[in-house]
Amino acid sequence: MTEVEKELSWWVYPPAMYPWRALAGIVVLSLVVVFLTFYAGGPVVGIVGGAVIFFVSNGFFLPSSYTLDEEGVVWRRLFFRFKRPWSHFNCYYADRFGVMLTPGHRPSRLDPWRGMSLWFGPNRAGDNPKQTNRDEVLAFVNRRVKPYRPPVDHREVLG
């Protein structure tokens, strides 16, 4: 095995990858702070409300670091560090932004709290900033966790 196959590390700063979404998030956050300040109790309420909303959505506004190795997954953001062994996860499923590792045997509404969501990062080649490391991450995860497959693929049934 080469060194790349034993460990995969990357960091993600979503506002750099999705600047229009970051701008929309800042505008919405600002509007909420203005509303809370002028219509719901004053500057203290506005500042506290804005801080709460920022803390809840910090996964988008702050950089994250991910490390996948033989033992498990390590995820770092600001003051937080989470480490989970591969045995903790039973399946995974991916979308265009990242992959969700879940302890359940199928997707659940509890996955954001029980599982671990990994954002895809920039491609190592660096030639196109819009390309992500999706293929590398999914190949690495697929060697350790099985993908979720629905019992019936409706695309085959419906044609």
Side-chain angles (χ1 to χ4, degrees):
M1 266 186 162
T2 64
E3 193 64 35
V4 174
E5 294 174 346
K6 291 184 179 179
E7 182 176 303
L8 181 63
S9 296
W10 72 98
W11 70 274
V12 178
Y13 185 53
M17 294 180 72
Y18 309 104
W20 288 106
R21 291 175 187 210
L23 181 63
I26 291 169
V27 167
V28 168
L29 181 62
S30 301
L31 290 175
V32 168
V33 169
V34 167
F35 175 79
L36 291 175
T37 300
F38 291 110
Y39 299 108
V44 174
V45 174
I47 292 171
V48 170
V52 167
I53 292 173
F54 180 79
F55 181 73
V56 168
S57 60
N58 73 15
F60 184 78
F61 290 111
L62 299 176
S64 298
S65 165
Y66 303 103
T67 302
L68 310 178
D69 59 16
E70 296 295 326
E71 297 174 11
V73 181
V74 178
W75 168 64
R76 293 178 191 92
R77 181 183 304 140
L78 198 56
F79 303 114
F80 303 106
R81 181 181 182 272
F82 297 100
K83 183 174 183 171
R84 300 283 187 269
W86 290 113
S87 61
H88 179 76
F89 306 112
N90 287 318
C91 77
Y92 75 90
Y93 52 96
D95 61 11
R96 66 184 200 167
F97 298 109
V99 60
M100 173 61 82
L101 300 167
T102 177
H105 294 283
R106 63 175 207 252
S108 166
R109 291 182 182 159
L110 297 175
D111 287 344
W113 292 276
R114 298 185 313 171
M116 189 176 283
S117 179
L118 312 176
W119 284 69
F120 296 132
N123 194 0
R124 290 186 189 269
D127 52 354
N128 184 356
K130 290 295 181 186
Q131 286 185 339
T132 63
N133 64 348
R134 176 188 173 93
D135 296 333
E136 294 175 59
V137 173
L138 290 179
F140 198 97
V141 169
N142 196 32
R143 289 195 301 257
R144 284 143 186 96
V145 181
K146 66 178 183 174
Y148 170 72
R149 301 230 195 289
V152 175
D153 189 1
H154 298 288
R155 293 174 293 193
E156 293 176 5
V157 174
L158 299 175

